[in-house]
């Protein structure tokens, strides 16, 4: 029953939110369109997260990244550190492969609107994810967490990434001035939200499962990861696990939390500063680290470096 429900939900979400092939023509973005400088900066900033997601999903599912799939999109940026193919079952591999190619599309879509920047140095090594999990659980896991070891681990590692990007799109939307930029961000947000919903659905189906060999449930992993992101972001609760106290669930009536939202079931918004604090893994937008050992790129991200 659960498997049938999950399969139906996943099929519906993927059908509804898959990036339409005609995205570029629909949003009518291109070098002939002049965008306000603030819109350019806000559109460039999420390229950092889109690069991160594209490389993680591509390597996890296919064993190679943008340098083979779409080298022109890297603009000569360095290859990611430590990324590799994950040991995934056929269903999860198929879903992650879909995500991977969607992220390639996102990079292309943004770069039809703005020039962008070369791929930043990304650290997708097992040790980076292991540190994240250790920080979340407030203890050193033994053996160290390896996102590429199996499907559950990869889903938990995936839980760490797309949600941060979607909260950034929610936060950016109200600050955009042009209709062109707003249309583009709306399309990106829809697919990022769907990816997060699929990941959360797969994890929710396994909520009570113990993650081996740690004797910690999937639900607790998601709760602790969300708590860590709230702590690093330093702006209150903008993150929730897949199971919450009923008072925090939809309408304060249910503990199942397959889609995170505020008291009105609206998506949370994050600023670029909050996102940098999270992806740097240290709560400080001025100090590179975590997934971006040399810092994120673009005017917004670079403006914080050296200003501690």
């Amino acid at each position: 029953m659960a498997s049938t429900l999950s399969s139906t939900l996943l099929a519906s979400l993927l059908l509804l939110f898959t990036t339409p092939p005609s995205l570029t023509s629909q949003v009518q973005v291109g070098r002939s369109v002049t965008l306000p400088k603030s819109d350019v900066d806000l559109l460039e900033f999420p390229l950092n997260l889109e690069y991160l997601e594209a490389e993680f999903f591509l390597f996890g599912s296919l064993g190679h990244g943008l340098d083979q799939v779409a080298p022109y999109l890297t603009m000569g940026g360095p290859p990611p550190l430590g990324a590799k193919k994950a040991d995934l079952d056929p269903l999860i591999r198929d879903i992650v492969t879909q995500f991977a190619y969607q992220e390639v599309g996102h990079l292309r879509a943004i770069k039809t609107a703005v020039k962008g920047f070369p791929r930043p140095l990304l650290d997708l090594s097992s040790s980076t994810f292991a540190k994240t999990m250790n920080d979340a659980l407030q203890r050193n896991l033994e053996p160290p967490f390896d996102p590429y070891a199996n499907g559950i681990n990869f889903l938990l590692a995936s839980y760490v990434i797309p949600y941060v990007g979607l909260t950034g799109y929610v936060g950016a939307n109200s600050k955009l001035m042009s209709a062109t930029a707003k249309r583009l961000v709306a399309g990106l947000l829809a697919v990022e939200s769907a990816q997060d919903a699929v990941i959360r659905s797969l994890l929710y189906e396994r909520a009570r499962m113990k993650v081996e060999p740690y004797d910690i449930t999937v639900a607790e992993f998601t709760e602790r990861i969300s708590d860590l992101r709230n702590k690093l972001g330093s702006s209150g609760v903008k993150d929730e696990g897949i199971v919450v106290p009923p008072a925090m669930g939809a309408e304060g009536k249910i503990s199942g939390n397959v889609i995170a939202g505020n008291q009105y079931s609206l998506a949370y918004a994050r600023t670029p500063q909050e996102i940098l604090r999270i992806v740097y893994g240290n709560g400080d937008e001025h100090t590179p680290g975590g997934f971006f050992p040399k810092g994120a790129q673009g005017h917004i991200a670079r403006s914080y470096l050296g200003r501690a």
Side-chain angles (χ1 to χ4, degrees), residues 152-212:
I152 289 294
N153 283 19
F154 194 83
L155 286 174
L156 288 169
S158 299
Y159 180 88
V160 171
I161 300 174
Y163 180 75
V164 177
L166 81 85
T167 58
Y169 283 130
V170 176
N173 190 56
S174 64
K175 299 176 183 178
L176 294 168
M177 299 176 63
S178 70
T180 296
K182 288 183 177 181
R183 284 196 298 271
L184 176 56
V185 165
L188 293 163
L189 174 58
V191 177
E192 292 291 332
S193 299
Q195 289 178 353
D196 184 63
V198 171
I199 292 166
R200 293 177 72 98
S201 296
L202 289 167
L203 291 171
Y204 186 71
E205 186 179 15
R206 299 158 173 82
R208 293 182 177 83
M209 180 185 296
K210 295 289 184 70
V211 180
E212 298 298 336

Coordinates of all heavy atoms in Angstrom, one line a residue, residues 152-212:
I152 N 19.4 5.2 1.0 CA 19.0 6.0 2.1 C 19.9 7.1 2.4 O 19.5 8.2 2.6 CB 18.8 5.1 3.4 CG1 17.6 4.2 3.2 CG2 18.6 5.9 4.6 CD1 16.2 4.9 3.1
N153 N 21.2 6.8 2.5 CA 22.2 7.8 2.7 C 22.2 8.9 1.7 O 22.3 10.1 2.0 CB 23.6 7.2 2.8 CG 23.9 6.5 4.1 OD1 23.0 6.1 4.8 ND2 25.2 6.2 4.4
F154 N 22.0 8.5 0.4 CA 22.0 9.5 -0.7 C 20.7 10.4 -0.5 O 20.8 11.6 -0.7 CB 22.0 8.9 -2.0 CG 22.3 9.9 -3.1 CD1 23.6 10.2 -3.4 CD2 21.3 10.4 -3.9 CE1 23.9 11.1 -4.4 CE2 21.6 11.4 -4.9 CZ 22.9 11.7 -5.2
L155 N 19.6 9.8 -0.2 CA 18.4 10.6 0.0 C 18.5 11.6 1.2 O 18.1 12.7 1.1 CB 17.2 9.7 0.3 CG 16.6 8.9 -1.0 CD1 15.5 8.0 -0.5 CD2 16.1 9.9 -2.0
L156 N 19.2 11.1 2.3 CA 19.4 12.0 3.4 C 20.4 13.2 3.0 O 20.2 14.3 3.4 CB 19.9 11.2 4.6 CG 18.9 10.3 5.3 CD1 19.7 9.4 6.3 CD2 17.9 11.2 6.0
A157 N 21.4 12.8 2.2 CA 22.3 13.9 1.7 C 21.6 14.8 0.8 O 21.8 16.0 0.8 CB 23.5 13.2 1.0
S158 N 20.6 14.3 0.0 CA 19.8 15.1 -0.9 C 18.9 16.1 -0.1 O 18.6 17.2 -0.6 CB 19.0 14.3 -1.9 OG 19.9 13.4 -2.7
Y159 N 18.4 15.6 1.0 CA 17.6 16.4 1.9 C 18.3 17.7 2.3 O 17.7 18.7 2.6 CB 17.2 15.6 3.1 CG 16.3 16.3 4.1 CD1 15.0 16.2 4.0 CD2 16.9 17.0 5.2 CE1 14.1 16.8 5.0 CE2 16.1 17.6 6.2 CZ 14.7 17.5 6.0 OH 13.9 18.1 6.9
V160 N 19.6 17.6 2.3 CA 20.5 18.7 2.8 C 20.4 19.9 1.8 O 20.6 21.1 2.1 CB 21.9 18.3 3.0 CG1 22.8 19.5 3.3 CG2 22.0 17.3 4.2
I161 N 20.2 19.6 0.5 CA 20.6 20.6 -0.6 C 19.4 21.3 -1.2 O 19.3 22.5 -1.0 CB 21.5 19.9 -1.7 CG1 22.8 19.4 -1.0 CG2 21.8 20.9 -2.8 CD1 23.6 18.6 -2.0
P162 N 18.5 20.7 -2.0 CA 17.5 21.4 -2.7 C 16.6 22.4 -1.9 O 16.3 23.5 -2.4 CB 16.6 20.4 -3.4 CG 17.5 19.2 -3.5 CD 18.3 19.2 -2.2
Y163 N 16.3 22.0 -0.7 CA 15.4 22.8 0.1 C 16.0 24.2 0.4 O 15.3 25.2 0.4 CB 15.1 22.1 1.4 CG 14.1 22.9 2.3 CD1 12.8 23.0 2.0 CD2 14.6 23.6 3.4 CE1 11.9 23.8 2.8 CE2 13.8 24.4 4.2 CZ 12.4 24.5 3.9 OH 11.6 25.2 4.7
V164 N 17.3 24.2 0.6 CA 17.9 25.5 0.8 C 17.8 26.4 -0.4 O 17.5 27.6 -0.2 CB 19.4 25.3 1.1 CG1 20.1 26.7 1.3 CG2 19.6 24.5 2.4
G165 N 17.9 25.9 -1.6 CA 17.7 26.7 -2.8 C 16.3 27.2 -3.0 O 16.1 28.3 -3.4
L166 N 15.3 26.3 -2.7 CA 14.0 26.8 -2.9 C 13.6 27.9 -1.9 O 12.8 28.8 -2.3 CB 13.0 25.6 -2.8 CG 12.5 25.0 -1.5 CD1 11.3 25.8 -0.9 CD2 12.2 23.6 -1.6
T167 N 14.1 27.9 -0.7 CA 13.8 29.0 0.2 C 14.5 30.3 -0.2 O 13.9 31.4 0.0 CB 14.3 28.7 1.7 OG1 15.7 28.4 1.7 CG2 13.5 27.5 2.3
G168 N 15.6 30.1 -0.9 CA 16.2 31.3 -1.5 C 15.4 31.9 -2.6 O 15.3 33.1 -2.7
Y169 N 14.8 31.0 -3.5 CA 13.9 31.6 -4.5 C 12.7 32.3 -4.0 O 12.3 33.3 -4.5 CB 13.5 30.4 -5.5 CG 14.6 30.0 -6.4 CD1 14.9 28.6 -6.6 CD2 15.2 30.9 -7.2 CE1 15.9 28.2 -7.5 CE2 16.2 30.5 -8.1 CZ 16.5 29.2 -8.2 OH 17.5 28.8 -9.1
V170 N 12.1 31.7 -2.9 CA 11.0 32.3 -2.2 C 11.4 33.7 -1.7 O 10.7 34.7 -1.9 CB 10.4 31.5 -1.1 CG1 9.3 32.2 -0.3 CG2 9.9 30.2 -1.6
G171 N 12.6 33.8 -1.1 CA 13.1 35.1 -0.6 C 13.4 36.1 -1.7 O 13.1 37.3 -1.5
A172 N 13.9 35.6 -2.8 CA 14.3 36.5 -3.9 C 13.1 37.1 -4.6 O 13.1 38.2 -5.1 CB 15.2 35.8 -4.8
N173 N 12.0 36.3 -4.7 CA 10.9 36.7 -5.6 C 10.3 38.1 -5.3 O 10.1 38.9 -6.2 CB 9.8 35.7 -5.4 CG 8.7 35.8 -6.5 OD1 9.0 35.8 -7.7 ND2 7.5 36.0 -6.1
S174 N 10.1 38.4 -4.0 CA 9.5 39.7 -3.7 C 10.5 40.9 -4.0 O 10.0 42.1 -4.0 CB 9.1 39.7 -2.3 OG 10.2 39.6 -1.4
K175 N 11.8 40.6 -4.1 CA 12.7 41.7 -4.4 C 13.0 41.9 -5.8 O 13.7 42.9 -6.2 CB 14.1 41.3 -3.7 CG 13.9 41.1 -2.2 CD 15.2 40.7 -1.5 CE 15.1 40.4 0.0 NZ 16.3 39.9 0.6
L176 N 12.5 41.0 -6.7 CA 12.7 41.2 -8.1 C 11.9 42.3 -8.7 O 10.7 42.5 -8.3 CB 12.4 39.9 -8.9 CG 13.4 38.7 -8.5 CD1 12.8 37.4 -9.1 CD2 14.8 39.0 -9.1
M177 N 12.4 43.1 -9.6 CA 11.7 44.2 -10.2 C 11.0 43.9 -11.5 O 10.0 44.5 -11.8 CB 12.7 45.4 -10.3 CG 13.3 45.9 -9.0 SD 14.5 47.2 -9.3 CE 13.5 48.5 -9.9
S178 N 11.6 43.1 -12.3 CA 11.1 42.8 -13.7 C 10.2 41.6 -13.7 O 10.4 40.6 -13.0 CB 12.3 42.7 -14.7 OG 13.0 41.5 -14.4
A179 N 9.2 41.6 -14.6 CA 8.4 40.5 -14.8 C 9.1 39.3 -15.4 O 8.9 38.2 -15.1 CB 7.2 40.9 -15.8
T180 N 10.1 39.6 -16.2 CA 10.9 38.5 -16.8 C 11.6 37.7 -15.8 O 11.6 36.5 -15.8 CB 12.0 39.2 -17.8 OG1 11.3 39.8 -18.9 CG2 12.9 38.1 -18.3
A181 N 12.3 38.4 -14.8 CA 13.0 37.7 -13.7 C 12.0 37.0 -12.9 O 12.3 35.8 -12.4 CB 13.8 38.7 -12.9
K182 N 10.8 37.5 -12.6 CA 9.9 36.9 -11.7 C 9.3 35.6 -12.4 O 9.1 34.6 -11.7 CB 8.7 37.8 -11.4 CG 9.1 39.0 -10.4 CD 7.9 39.8 -10.1 CE 8.4 40.9 -9.0 NZ 7.2 41.8 -8.6
R183 N 9.1 35.7 -13.7 CA 8.6 34.5 -14.4 C 9.7 33.4 -14.3 O 9.3 32.2 -14.1 CB 8.3 34.8 -15.8 CG 7.0 35.5 -16.0 CD 6.5 35.5 -17.5 NE 7.5 36.1 -18.4 CZ 7.4 37.4 -18.7 NH1 6.5 38.2 -18.2 NH2 8.3 37.9 -19.6
L184 N 10.9 33.7 -14.5 CA 12.0 32.7 -14.5 C 12.1 32.1 -13.1 O 12.2 30.9 -12.9 CB 13.3 33.4 -14.8 CG 14.6 32.5 -14.8 CD1 14.4 31.2 -15.6 CD2 15.8 33.3 -15.2
V185 N 12.1 32.9 -12.0 CA 12.2 32.4 -10.7 C 11.0 31.6 -10.3 O 11.1 30.6 -9.6 CB 12.4 33.6 -9.7 CG1 12.1 33.1 -8.2 CG2 13.8 34.2 -9.8
A186 N 9.8 31.9 -10.8 CA 8.6 31.1 -10.5 C 8.8 29.7 -11.1 O 8.4 28.7 -10.5 CB 7.4 31.8 -11.1
G187 N 9.3 29.6 -12.3 CA 9.5 28.3 -12.9 C 10.6 27.5 -12.2 O 10.4 26.3 -12.0
L188 N 11.6 28.2 -11.8 CA 12.7 27.5 -11.1 C 12.2 27.0 -9.7 O 12.4 25.9 -9.3 CB 13.9 28.4 -10.9 CG 14.7 28.8 -12.1 CD1 15.5 30.0 -11.9 CD2 15.5 27.6 -12.6
L189 N 11.4 27.9 -9.0 CA 10.9 27.5 -7.7 C 10.0 26.3 -7.8 O 10.0 25.4 -6.9 CB 10.2 28.7 -7.1 CG 9.5 28.5 -5.8 CD1 10.4 28.0 -4.7 CD2 8.8 29.8 -5.4
A190 N 9.2 26.3 -8.8 CA 8.2 25.1 -8.9 C 8.9 23.8 -9.0 O 8.5 22.8 -8.3 CB 7.3 25.3 -10.2
V191 N 10.0 23.7 -9.8 CA 10.7 22.5 -10.0 C 11.5 22.1 -8.7 O 11.6 21.0 -8.3 CB 11.5 22.5 -11.2 CG1 12.3 21.2 -11.4 CG2 10.6 22.6 -12.5
E192 N 12.2 23.1 -8.1 CA 12.9 22.9 -6.9 C 12.0 22.4 -5.8 O 12.4 21.5 -5.0 CB 13.7 24.2 -6.5 CG 14.8 24.6 -7.4 CD 16.0 23.7 -7.4 OE1 16.2 23.1 -6.4 OE2 16.7 23.7 -8.5
S193 N 10.8 23.0 -5.7 CA 9.9 22.6 -4.7 C 9.4 21.1 -4.9 O 9.3 20.4 -4.0 CB 8.7 23.5 -4.7 OG 9.1 24.8 -4.4
A194 N 9.2 20.8 -6.2 CA 8.8 19.4 -6.5 C 9.9 18.4 -6.2 O 9.6 17.4 -5.6 CB 8.4 19.3 -8.0
Q195 N 11.1 18.8 -6.5 CA 12.2 17.9 -6.1 C 12.3 17.6 -4.6 O 12.4 16.5 -4.2 CB 13.6 18.5 -6.6 CG 13.8 18.5 -8.1 CD 15.1 19.1 -8.5 OE1 15.8 19.7 -7.7 NE2 15.4 19.1 -9.8
D196 N 12.2 18.7 -3.8 CA 12.2 18.6 -2.4 C 11.0 17.7 -1.9 O 11.2 16.9 -1.0 CB 12.1 20.0 -1.7 CG 12.2 19.9 -0.2 OD1 13.3 19.5 0.3 OD2 11.3 20.3 0.4
A197 N 9.8 17.9 -2.5 CA 8.7 17.1 -2.1 C 8.9 15.6 -2.4 O 8.5 14.7 -1.6 CB 7.4 17.6 -2.8
V198 N 9.5 15.3 -3.6 CA 9.8 13.9 -3.9 C 10.8 13.3 -2.9 O 10.6 12.2 -2.4 CB 10.3 13.8 -5.3 CG1 10.8 12.4 -5.6 CG2 9.3 14.2 -6.3
I199 N 11.8 14.0 -2.6 CA 12.8 13.6 -1.6 C 12.2 13.3 -0.3 O 12.4 12.3 0.4 CB 14.0 14.6 -1.5 CG1 14.8 14.6 -2.8 CG2 14.9 14.2 -0.3 CD1 15.8 15.8 -2.9
R200 N 11.4 14.3 0.2 CA 10.7 14.2 1.5 C 9.7 13.0 1.5 O 9.5 12.3 2.5 CB 10.0 15.5 1.9 CG 11.0 16.6 2.1 CD 10.3 17.9 2.4 NE 9.6 17.9 3.7 CZ 10.1 18.4 4.8 NH1 11.3 19.0 4.8 NH2 9.5 18.4 6.0
S201 N 9.0 12.8 0.4 CA 8.1 11.7 0.3 C 8.8 10.3 0.4 O 8.3 9.4 1.1 CB 7.3 11.7 -1.1 OG 6.5 12.9 -1.2
L202 N 9.9 10.2 -0.3 CA 10.7 9.0 -0.2 C 11.2 8.7 1.2 O 11.2 7.6 1.7 CB 11.8 9.0 -1.2 CG 11.5 8.9 -2.7 CD1 12.7 9.3 -3.6 CD2 11.0 7.5 -3.0
L203 N 11.6 9.8 1.9 CA 12.1 9.7 3.2 C 10.9 9.4 4.2 O 11.0 8.6 5.1 CB 12.9 10.9 3.6 CG 14.2 11.1 2.9 CD1 14.8 12.5 3.3 CD2 15.2 10.0 3.3
Y204 N 9.8 10.1 4.0 CA 8.6 9.9 4.8 C 8.1 8.5 4.8 O 7.7 7.9 5.9 CB 7.5 10.9 4.4 CG 6.3 10.9 5.4 CD1 6.4 11.4 6.6 CD2 5.1 10.3 5.0 CE1 5.4 11.5 7.5 CE2 4.0 10.3 5.8 CZ 4.2 10.9 7.1 OH 3.1 10.9 8.0
E205 N 8.2 7.8 3.7 CA 7.8 6.4 3.5 C 8.7 5.5 4.4 O 8.3 4.5 4.9 CB 7.9 6.0 2.1 CG 7.4 4.6 1.8 CD 7.5 4.2 0.3 OE1 8.2 4.9 -0.4 OE2 6.8 3.2 -0.1
R206 N 9.9 6.0 4.7 CA 10.9 5.2 5.5 C 11.1 5.9 6.8 O 12.2 5.7 7.4 CB 12.2 5.1 4.7 CG 12.0 4.4 3.3 CD 13.2 4.8 2.4 NE 13.1 4.0 1.2 CZ 12.4 4.3 0.1 NH1 11.5 5.3 0.1 NH2 12.4 3.5 -1.0
A207 N 10.2 6.8 7.3 CA 10.5 7.6 8.5 C 10.9 6.8 9.7 O 11.8 7.3 10.4 CB 9.2 8.4 8.8
R208 N 10.4 5.7 9.9 CA 10.7 4.9 11.1 C 11.8 3.9 10.9 O 12.3 3.2 11.8 CB 9.4 4.1 11.6 CG 8.3 5.0 12.1 CD 7.2 4.2 12.6 NE 6.1 5.1 13.2 CZ 5.2 5.7 12.5 NH1 5.2 5.6 11.1 NH2 4.3 6.5 13.0
M209 N 12.3 3.9 9.7 CA 13.4 3.0 9.4 C 14.7 3.4 10.1 O 15.0 4.6 10.1 CB 13.7 2.9 7.9 CG 14.8 2.0 7.4 SD 15.1 2.1 5.6 CE 13.5 1.5 5.0
K210 N 15.5 2.5 10.6 CA 16.8 2.9 11.2 C 17.8 2.9 10.2 O 17.9 2.1 9.3 CB 17.2 1.8 12.3 CG 16.2 1.7 13.5 CD 16.4 2.9 14.4 CE 15.5 2.8 15.6 NZ 16.0 1.8 16.6
V211 N 18.6 4.0 10.2 CA 19.7 4.2 9.3 C 20.9 3.4 9.8 O 21.4 3.7 10.9 CB 20.1 5.7 9.1 CG1 21.2 5.8 8.1 CG2 18.9 6.5 8.6
E212 N 21.3 2.4 9.1 CA 22.4 1.5 9.6 C 23.7 2.2 9.3 O 23.9 2.9 8.3 CB 22.3 0.2 8.9 CG 21.0 -0.6 9.2 CD 20.9 -0.9 10.6 OE1 21.9 -1.0 11.3 OE2 19.8 -1.1 11.1

